Amino acid sequence: MRFIKRQTTDNLNIDWHAFYRNVFALIIPMALQNLINVGVTSADVIMLGRVGENALSGVSLANQVYFILSLIPARFSVAVLFVVACFVSVAMGTSVGTITLITPIAVSVSKASGFDMALCIGSVMGGSMFGDNLSFISDTTIAACNGQGCQMKDKFRENFGIALPAAIATLVLILVLSFQTDIAGRVS
């Protein structure tokens, strides 16, 4: 019976000091960047805490959009604006509120990246209309259901069959236009 000698770190000849120095050289800038993000968000919360919870929730939502935009390549930022506007509008139940909330971010994306401002704002408006059309808490959904005497789930099912293909076509068009645009900078 042969015994296999267990491999230990002593046999690998690794310079652990250099390894950890390189790891920390990568980790420390990332940690500091995230710490700055958290600090700015916390400052927003502290400053807006006295204004009211509506302003606080709006700033929190806007910070989440900026966080998502910081994670993706700038080439996809207009498509992300569209998708985020879809989800925010479904959650809020208002297209106008979503447009009011995300349009300043779209303007910043346009200025920072070089995308046409009309494309950025149009993607926000399109996503907002899609989400408002499918939201259960939208005033138009409630009025339509009460006026027609139908259930909300039935209206949602019918609207989903109409709105989803339109949203997919819009997203494809936004991606095609985004890839044809020469972008100047990065979204940060």
Side-chain angles (χ1 to χ4, degrees), residues 106-152:
V107 170
S108 297
V109 167
S110 174
K111 288 181 181 177
S113 63
F115 283 112
D116 188 38
M117 192 170 301
L119 177 63
C120 292
I121 293 175
S123 68
V124 170
M125 291 179 70
S128 298
M129 297 303 163
F130 169 80
D132 186 34
N133 195 4
L134 294 179
S135 179
F136 284 107
I137 59 174
S138 172
D139 56 347
T140 54
T141 300
I142 295 168
C145 290
N146 286 339
Q148 296 297 317
C150 66
Q151 297 289 320
M152 282 193 190

